[in-house]
Amino acid sequence: MGHFSSNYSHGNKFNVDASDFDFVELSDLIKTKGHTVLKVQGVFTYTVKKKNKLRPCLIADHYKISLPDHLLEDVKKLLNDQEAIDLINDGKCGFKTSQYEDTKNGNGTCYSGTFVDIE
């Protein structure tokens, strides 16, 4: 069993072997490639050991992309929705990147996105 399927609790739900994919932050990917709709190949959650905190992650564009914390619930829902898993495996799920200014907490430009249907 490979690294990916043995280290993430969702098991082998998706038709992608991301064991050799690099981890990147969503913000770094957007800064490098600009805003786009990424074709979702899978999602998972992982635990940040130092903080013992669950984080959401997206598999797309040959990367494991660390997503912002506010997308954790969406990723959890996807992992528990067989229809969504089937649509991801069929290449019909996208992730449309976006950005916003965090004026409430003073964090400046923040990066996010939404899951979208694609053909």
Side-chain angles (χ1 to χ4, degrees), residues 4-57:
F4 181 74
S5 58
S6 64
N7 284 293
Y8 300 100
S9 60
H10 62 82
N12 218 2
K13 293 182 179 187
F14 301 102
N15 299 333
V16 62
D17 177 5
S19 58
D20 293 333
F21 292 4
D22 290 330
F23 265 99
V24 296
E25 292 292 326
L26 179 62
S27 59
D28 293 336
L29 190 66
I30 291 171
K31 289 173 187 174
T32 302
K33 296 187 174 216
H35 287 289
T36 188
V37 175
L38 301 166
K39 190 177 213 177
V40 177
Q41 295 173 282
V43 296
F44 63 94
T45 60
Y46 65 99
T47 302
V48 178
K49 291 182 184 180
K50 289 182 180 179
K51 297 181 181 181
N52 198 27
K53 182 178 183 180
L54 198 60
R55 294 291 317 270
C57 195

